[in-house]
Amino acid sequence: MAHEIEGGMVEVDGLRAYLSRPTDPSTAGMLLLPMVTGIGAQVREFADDLARTGVTALSWDPWHGPSTDDTSRERLFELMGRLDDEECLAEMRRLLDHMHSELGLSRVGVVGFCMGGRFALLLGARDERLANVVAYHPTVPGTPAPNHTVDAVEATARITAPVLMLYPGADSLVPWESFTRLQSALHSRETGESLVHVYPRAEHGFTDRARRESSEVNAAAYDLSWPQVTRFIATTTA
C-alpha cells in the first residue's frame, strides 16, 4: 500500500534540495543523486516514488538552481564539465548530516543515476554511515573526464555497504571494459554484499522517461529494475 507523501524544495545548510517524505514517521532515508537533469521533473518523480514506499528521499542539486525544467541539456552538460569531485562530495555529506541529525533518520543510503551513479560509488567509499549504495548506469567512461579527479574503480573497492549496480549492455558512454572493472572492484571487497544487474540491450540512462517512451527495451529494463531497487532499499534501511 502506497504511503501518503509531502514534497517540496528546501534549503539545507545553504544548499538547495528537494525533500519528499511519507506523512507518517519514517526512520529510513535515501540521498538521491541526479543525472545531468538536476532536480527536474524526472528526479522529483524518483524521489516521490521512493517516499511512497515509506522512505524519506532528499535530492542533491548539483547545479544550485538550473534543471531540465528551465535549462537546456546542452547547458547542463557544460556545467557538468565544471564539477569538482571533492566539492560535490562535501555537499553530499552535508546533506547526509542533515538527514541524520535534523530529519531523525537512522538508516540512510544513496541512490544515483548516470552522473549521480558515479558519485554514489564515490560517496560510498567516503562515508561509512551509508546503509546501501545504488548505482544506476553509473557514468564511468573508459577514459575519465578531465574533472574526474577521484578514481571510481578504486573507490568502489573501498565501499563497505551493500551495493546494487545496474548496467545497460548497450551503454554508449560506459564501455563493457569499464563496467567489468567496476564489477571486479565490487567482488574484491571483503565487506558488503554485491548485486550486479545487467540489461543486455538497454541504453545508458534507460531510467529517464524520454528514453523509456522511445524504447520498449529501456521501458522493460526500468519496469524490471525499479521494484528490485526499492526492495533492496527497503531491506537495507529497515
Side-chain angles (χ1 to χ4, degrees):
M1 180 173 153
H3 293 253
E4 294 293 325
I5 67 170
E6 55 186 11
M9 301 304 301
V10 296
E11 183 176 311
V12 176
D13 190 21
L15 299 174
R16 183 174 179 269
Y18 179 73
L19 176 63
S20 186
R21 55 183 170 179
T23 54
D24 50 314
S26 169
T27 59
M30 291 297 292
L31 177 62
L32 198 155
L33 308 181
M35 60 277 274
V36 71
T37 59
I39 309 181
Q42 175 67 87
V43 169
R44 297 195 302 274
E45 178 183 316
F46 289 148
D48 291 347
D49 283 349
L50 287 175
R52 291 188 185 96
T53 70
V55 175
T56 295
L58 186 66
S59 301
W60 170 60
D61 181 4
W63 316 131
H64 301 171
S67 75
T68 44
D69 288 350
D70 54 22
T71 305
S72 71
R73 286 181 182 254
E74 290 76 16
R75 173 56 178 162
L76 297 178
F77 275 110
E78 290 178 11
L79 294 176
M80 185 170 66
R82 303 176 187 176
L83 288 178
D84 180 275
D85 280 349
E86 295 296 344
E87 290 179 4
C88 292
L89 290 167
E91 289 184 359
M92 295 167 198
R93 298 188 77 175
R94 285 158 62 188
L95 295 178
L96 284 176
D97 290 343
H98 177 80
M99 296 177 81
H100 283 284
S101 63
E102 301 301 324
L103 298 183
L105 304 174
S106 58
R107 298 279 292 171
V108 179
V110 61
V111 54
F113 305 80
C114 300
M115 174 189 80
R118 173 179 176 268
F119 274 120
L121 297 172
L122 303 189
L123 185 63
R126 293 289 181 92
D127 202 309
E128 294 188 355
R129 292 175 295 178
L130 290 172
N132 63 51
V133 174
V134 180
Y136 247 122
H137 34 70
T139 305
V140 181
T143 300
N147 62 328
H148 286 185
T149 56
V150 180
D151 186 329
V153 174
E154 188 276 335
T156 297
R158 294 189 289 107
I159 300 172
T160 58
V163 176
L164 172 56
M165 182 172 67
L166 307 100
Y167 177 76
D171 197 319
S172 60
L173 297 181
V174 182
W176 183 260
E177 293 77 11
S178 183
F179 160 69
T180 56
R181 287 195 292 270
L182 290 172
Q183 181 175 234
S184 295
L186 284 176
H187 292 170
S188 73
R189 303 181 302 149
E190 296 183 357
T191 303
E193 297 77 8
S194 302
L195 286 79
V196 178
H197 294 184
V198 177
Y199 301 86
R201 295 186 296 120
E203 301 171 304
H204 184 82
F206 68 81
T207 52
D208 186 85
R209 179 173 292 281
R211 289 187 180 271
R212 285 183 267 147
E213 291 177 346
S214 64
S215 165
E216 292 183 1
V217 173
N218 290 339
Y222 177 77
D223 290 344
L224 179 62
S225 66
W226 186 247
Q228 297 179 73
V229 166
T230 57
R231 181 60 180 169
F232 176 78
I233 290 171
T235 300
T236 52
T237 59

